[in-house]
Every structure is written in C-alpha cells, then in structure tokens.
Amino acid sequence: MQLEAFDVGRRPELAAQLAELGEPELTGGRVLAQHRGYWLVAATDGETSPFEPRLLTSRGRLREDPPGVGDWVAIDPDGAIAAVLARHGTLMRQAVGGPTSSQVLAANVDLALVVESLPDTNRSRVERLVALAMSASVPAVLVLTKADLDPDWEARAIEISRELPLTATIAVCAKDATGMDALRAHLLPGATAALLGRSGAGKSTLVNALLGVDRQATRPVRAGDGRGRHVTVTRELIGLPGGALIIDTPGLREIGLWSEPEDMFVEINQLAADCRFADCQHETEPGCAVRDAVNAEDLSAWRNLAIEQAAIANRKAVAADRKQRSRLLRRRVKAAKRESRGQ
C-alpha cells in the first residue's frame, strides 16, 4: 500500500507510557488501518513522526481487546503489537450480533463529524450518532451533505439540530465547495476527527473534497430507494492538508450504544430539576416541569434514550460477569495443566 507521508499526531506522554510497560525494546506507533488479523501501523518516536507504515500482527493477549484505528500502540522487535496504550475519545458501539460485547469504531478522537445527507435527513439517526459521540465525551459537528439538492437546507438544518448538543451544524456541497471552509475551520492541526454516518451519506466524497484529490472510492446511491451502497469497507486514518487527521469509516447500519451519553438533552435535564418528583418520567405525573415545555418529538427521543441507558447498564453487567467467568476458567485450566505435569 503506497501512502503519502503525514504527521500521525502528537502523543507527549508516549515515551513515559512505553517505559511503564517495562520492555525497553518497545517502540511506539499509531494504527492507520485495520484488516482481518493485521494492522497498518505508522512508527513514531513521539517527537517526530518518521512515516514507516508496516503491516503488523498482534500478541495473543490482545485478542480480547484488539487495536482499533487511531490507537497508539507499543511495537516489539518482532513486528508485533505488544500493547494498546491508554485511549481517550473512544467511539464504541454494541457489536453487531453481540449484545454483550463492544466494537471500537475509532480511538483517540477529538471531534466526531456526524454526516447526514440532504434532503432525506433522519433526525432519529442523527440523535443516535450524536449520543454515540457524547458517550465518549467527544464533541460533535453535524455535517449535512448534498446541500445542492435541498433549497430549504437552512430551515432543515435548524430543524434537525434542534435540542442536540452540537458544536456546530454545517451544510456542505462537495461539488461547488459550499460550506467546506466552515468545516475546515473545525479541523485543527494534529487533531483527529472521525466520520460517522450511513452508507451513501457522502463521507468518502467529503474526504476527497477535504484532500483535494479523489482518493476514496465513491458510488452513487441506489436509484430505487436512495440508499447507499458500501464502498468504504475499512476504517482508515488519513492525513489532511493543514495537519488535521480524519478517520473514514464504513457506513453504520446498526448504532447500538455501548456507553451512556452525557448531556444529550440539556434543556430537558435542566427543566427536570423543577419536577415535583425526582424520578419523574414526564408522562402523567403531577407537577411535571418538562411535559408542557418541551417539543413532543424531543421528549420521545429522551424517553427512548433513557430506556437504552438502562439496557446499556445491563449489557455491561452481563459482559463484566462473562469476562470474570472466562478469567476464572483460564486460571483453572492452567492450574490443572500444572498439576498434571507434576504427576
């Protein structure tokens, strides 16, 4: 894979974190792409970023928590990833088909770009993607693509972003560069942004517009229902002109939250402080300060999120119990093997 060199970001504490692992021969790097069973990693010493991408495997003990795109990792002399360093801004979802396991979409993310196309916007989907970002304490910018297809995009932008804790809402058109300068203003040198959205929303087209070259493959949406077709199949960390980094991701069909989002519905939570009952569900309870003051659609979204938060807590408890049982089983197997060898 031929890649143009770019700065993969700064990790001031990289040397200290490598030293804590107690293996002097380890070097640092950042995961650029994830494939089946191996990872493309760019080596770095933390001060400068010599671009030496290599395809690496990982040590067996990382099987339960494999590296993800954007991760900073420790590399051993044999060319294997020995450890995943501490993460921040980790975008995670419930693994598809596995309600008690999670999947890392992108790691060490500073900004989430929630991408939704005009004119067929879906507010419910946007809410869930923003909630996914909020659950990782990652600020979110809503990017409405294909603005040229919707003459009323300004009103639509206000409608879809109402009540959501967004840093900004930007309508763009990659064809004529509408809104692109406003988007670039949020992409700071050395910072990592991640694209979140369905197939066909225009994520790869957006990356190409930011790069100024057609690097990412794109395909038109289906004529019958306007749905996108998966073109991007691998998550990838890409360097942009100006020094920002962006993680392009495949389209998300299922958006099962894994962590509880904070400050998702700020106004509702503030109003709820004046409800008569601390556990008010804002339905038929007397003395409710929310029910008549909030848009019915926003209140319905708040209730749905509350239900999902309860499910998240249950899934995590089940996953933690399963992990503990697995550890105990491995210990028993090892003990049995030692005992058999001693006989």
Side-chain angles (χ1 to χ4, degrees):
M1 180 181 292
Q2 296 295 320
L3 295 173
E4 183 179 347
F6 62 90
D7 191 334
V8 295
R10 292 286 185 263
R11 182 91 171 193
E13 67 276 23
L14 180 60
Q17 291 180 340
L18 290 173
E20 288 176 1
L21 296 175
E23 299 181 46
E25 71 278 9
L26 295 178
T27 57
R30 196 170 190 195
V31 177
L32 304 182
Q34 181 177 357
H35 303 278
R36 188 180 296 274
Y38 59 91
W39 294 261
L40 184 68
V41 179
T44 174
D45 61 12
E47 298 298 330
T48 60
S49 295
F51 199 81
E52 301 172 2
R54 292 184 288 164
L55 288 172
L56 304 179
T57 57
S58 70
R59 290 186 182 176
R61 66 170 177 261
L62 293 179
R63 194 168 300 153
E64 291 185 0
D65 187 20
V69 175
D71 265 326
W72 289 88
V73 296
I75 308 167
D76 68 21
D78 295 326
I81 298 173
V84 176
L85 303 183
R87 293 165 169 156
H88 74 79
T90 308
L91 301 177
M92 302 179 69
R93 69 169 174 177
Q94 174 188 324
V96 176
T100 59
S101 59
S102 60
Q103 177 188 27
V104 174
L105 299 175
N108 299 299
V109 174
D110 303 297
L111 180 69
L113 300 179
V114 175
V115 183
E116 183 74 7
S117 60
L118 293 164
D120 299 320
T121 53
N122 184 315
R123 190 169 189 270
S124 177
R125 180 168 52 235
V126 171
E127 287 171 352
R128 295 186 67 77
L129 290 171
V130 173
L132 189 151
M134 293 295 102
S135 68
S137 299
V138 173
V141 168
L142 174 60
V143 183
L144 298 174
T145 60
K146 308 177 186 180
D148 57 318
L149 301 181
D150 190 348
D152 297 323
W153 63 262
E154 290 179 291
R156 188 63 178 146
I158 294 172
E159 177 188 355
I160 198 170
S161 61
R162 185 186 62 239
E163 278 299 306
L164 296 178
L166 294 163
T167 298
T169 299
I170 304 169
V172 302
C173 175
K175 292 180 180 178
D176 60 13
T178 296
M180 294 304 298
D181 285 342
L183 177 57
R184 289 189 182 96
H186 292 275
L187 303 175
L188 305 179
T192 300
L195 295 167
L196 299 174
R198 66 176 177 86
S199 296
K203 299 187 298 300
S204 293
T205 300
L206 198 62
V207 172
N208 289 339
L210 290 169
L211 287 170
V213 295
D214 289 338
R215 183 185 188 280
Q216 303 298 89
T218 61
R219 291 172 66 183
V221 297
R222 292 198 299 248
D225 56 12
R227 291 187 177 182
R229 292 171 286 188
H230 285 288
V231 178
T232 300
V233 295
T234 301
R235 297 176 185 85
E236 184 179 2
L237 180 69
I238 301 167
L240 298 176
L245 305 161
I246 195 164
I247 298 177
D248 193 9
T249 62
L252 297 176
R253 287 198 181 104
E254 298 182 24
I255 315 167
L257 301 181
W258 183 252
S259 300
E260 297 182 18
E262 298 179 0
D263 301 327
M264 184 61 189
F265 293 97
V266 177
E267 181 184 2
I268 291 177
N269 293 333
Q270 289 175 343
L271 290 169
D274 294 326
C275 289
R276 181 182 300 178
F277 302 105
D279 60 349
C280 183
Q281 297 301 301
H282 320 310
E283 293 178 335
T284 59
E285 299 90 341
C288 176
V290 174
R291 188 170 52 249
D292 296 330
V294 174
N295 178 281
E297 185 179 1
D298 294 333
L299 191 52
S300 175
W302 177 88
R303 291 194 185 103
N304 291 337
L305 185 60
I307 293 171
E308 182 140 8
Q309 285 177 328
I312 288 169
N314 182 64
R315 285 199 300 266
K316 285 192 169 184
V318 171
D321 180 67
R322 187 176 65 177
K323 191 172 184 179
Q324 180 63 18
R325 289 173 180 269
S326 178
R327 286 174 179 169
L328 290 174
L329 179 60
R330 287 198 300 270
R331 289 174 185 172
R332 289 172 182 171
V333 170
K334 288 181 180 179
K337 287 181 178 180
R338 287 196 299 268
E339 185 176 340
S340 64
R341 285 195 298 266
Q343 291 178 348

